[in-house]
Amino acid sequence: MKKSFLCAILFFALTGCYTPLNNSGVATTKPWLDIPAKKTDFDGKQFDSCYQFNLRFTPMEAEAALDLQESCISRCCWRSDKEVVELDFNKNFEKNLKYYGRADKFTPGKITLTITHSGLVNTTAVKVSPRGAITNDGLVKLKRETIENPTRLAEIESQGRMLQARRNAWLADQEIARQEAKQAQEDAQAKERAQDLVQSQVGHYIDRYFYQLNKSYQSKGYVFLLSQRFFTATILDDHVYRVACRAKVQSGSTAANLKNRTIGCGVWKADLALQSVSALDSTARKVKAKY
């Protein structure tokens, strides 16, 4: 039992404990240096702390040049892991200048923050280099200069014009394709209406034509079977279509000796504007006149 108790005491002494911000009880040398958490040993002596910088920047764009987590600004950093923090405002300057042709350069380019802790007075201190780069209330004052690479800017402008020309051509192609698809759909619908018009106005003549044709084959002892009738429309003029009627039939001397054939049932003129149908070839004229 005593052995277990001593092991527990030794464990807590070695691992320390985590104390939240409102109980940190650690003084700092700057009001912008916060200690959200600390680790203490079994005797309550601090052996580690998590510090965080509460900083403001002018110009504000300088903040965007930093990794706020690695800079211990958006989160706290344990002193045992990192005692020195470098705020490198020009870390991506060369890369941005090369890629964008324009980049901001800040002075001073780097600010080094060194964290130390005195257990004697229980105070965490921060040393700023260069001196005076950060005001007492946490304002980081920088000078900004925008540097340009004229060659790269001209290259980007040329690429932009090229991309815009390609985009304009693509948009034009898309519009042409859309119009063509719309026209094709309208043409297909108009052809279907022309076929329906022929079917509705002369379909009964065509039915009688095949009926009489079947009787004629039967009178000669032949077999005649109508399997499918179909129409094909092509445009002649505005709202005027040529509609060809064809039928797939089987005929022969016996049911076991049938041959497949396609025969015509007239070529018709369908006027959608006038809603009229007239014959265009001799078969159509015969179908309408005789039957």
Side-chain angles (χ1 to χ4, degrees):
M1 182 69 179
K2 289 182 179 180
K3 186 176 181 180
S4 300
F5 179 71
L6 290 174
C7 288
I9 292 175
L10 182 60
F11 173 78
F12 285 111
L14 292 175
T15 59
C17 62
Y18 178 85
T19 308
L21 173 62
N22 56 357
N23 282 328
S24 64
V26 180
T28 61
T29 58
K30 296 292 182 181
W32 45 268
L33 175 60
D34 296 332
I35 308 296
K38 67 179 181 179
K39 293 178 181 178
T40 60
D41 59 19
F42 188 73
D43 294 327
K45 293 181 180 180
Q46 180 192 143
F47 65 87
D48 199 1
S49 59
C50 199
Y51 61 90
Q52 187 171 357
F53 303 124
N54 184 18
L55 299 175
R56 296 173 291 114
F57 299 88
T58 180
M60 296 178 62
E61 291 79 4
E63 183 176 359
L66 300 176
D67 183 328
L68 298 183
Q69 289 193 5
E70 290 298 318
S71 300
C72 309
I73 295 173
S74 63
R75 67 171 176 87
C76 71
C77 301
W78 289 100
R79 183 163 39 87
S80 59
D81 295 331
K82 183 187 296 186
E83 292 185 339
V84 178
V85 176
E86 187 175 74
L87 307 181
D88 189 350
F89 299 97
N90 295 327
K91 181 179 180 180
N92 297 317
F93 169 74
E94 293 294 341
K95 181 178 69 175
N96 291 340
L97 183 63
K98 182 178 180 180
Y99 186 81
Y100 299 107
R102 182 182 291 111
D104 290 334
K105 190 172 186 178
F106 297 95
T107 305
K110 294 181 181 179
I111 297 177
T112 303
L113 305 173
T114 305
I115 303 297
T116 57
H117 180 76
S118 172
L120 183 64
V121 293
N122 193 29
T123 300
T124 300
V126 56
K127 179 183 177 182
V128 180
S129 177
R131 192 174 181 180
I134 304 177
T135 64
N136 193 56
D137 63 351
L139 179 62
V140 182
K141 292 183 176 180
L142 303 168
K143 291 182 180 179
R144 180 181 64 181
E145 181 183 6
T146 300
I147 307 298
E148 293 185 349
N149 182 339
T151 302
R152 177 56 179 156
L153 289 175
E155 185 180 86
I156 292 173
E157 184 178 357
S158 176
Q159 291 174 348
R161 288 195 300 267
M162 185 181 299
L163 288 174
Q164 187 60 47
R166 290 178 180 175
R167 174 171 172 77
N168 291 341
W170 180 82
L171 290 174
D173 289 343
Q174 292 297 306
E175 179 60 22
I176 291 173
R178 190 184 70 82
Q179 292 293 343
E180 289 178 346
K182 180 181 178 182
Q183 186 62 49
Q185 183 181 18
E186 291 176 351
D187 290 346
Q189 292 172 346
K191 289 177 180 178
E192 188 174 346
R193 291 197 301 272
Q195 293 167 185
D196 291 342
L197 183 63
V198 171
Q199 174 67 26
S200 65
Q201 292 199 8
V202 299
H204 57 288
Y205 292 111
I206 297 172
D207 290 339
R208 286 203 296 267
Y209 169 70
F210 283 114
Y211 175 74
Q212 293 297 330
L213 194 59
N214 182 41
K215 287 181 64 176
S216 175
Y217 270 82
Q218 288 181 351
S219 66
K220 298 176 183 178
Y222 282 83
V223 178
F224 180 85
L225 299 175
L226 175 65
S227 59
Q228 182 183 4
R229 185 175 64 187
F230 55 94
F231 298 95
T232 304
T234 55
I235 190 168
L236 291 176
D237 203 348
D238 290 342
H239 310 295
V240 180
Y241 290 82
R242 175 186 183 275
V243 181
C245 175
R246 290 184 178 85
K248 290 184 179 180
V249 302
Q250 291 178 308
S251 62
S253 57
T254 64
N257 190 30
L258 296 178
K259 292 184 179 180
N260 296 319
R261 291 193 300 149
T262 300
I263 62 175
C265 42
V267 178
W268 308 87
K269 175 183 175 183
D271 192 319
L272 296 179
L274 300 177
Q275 287 293 292
S276 65
V277 176
S278 57
L280 282 181
D281 72 343
S282 59
T283 302
R285 284 190 288 271
K286 182 174 68 173
V287 167
K288 192 169 183 181
K290 189 173 181 182
Y291 301 103

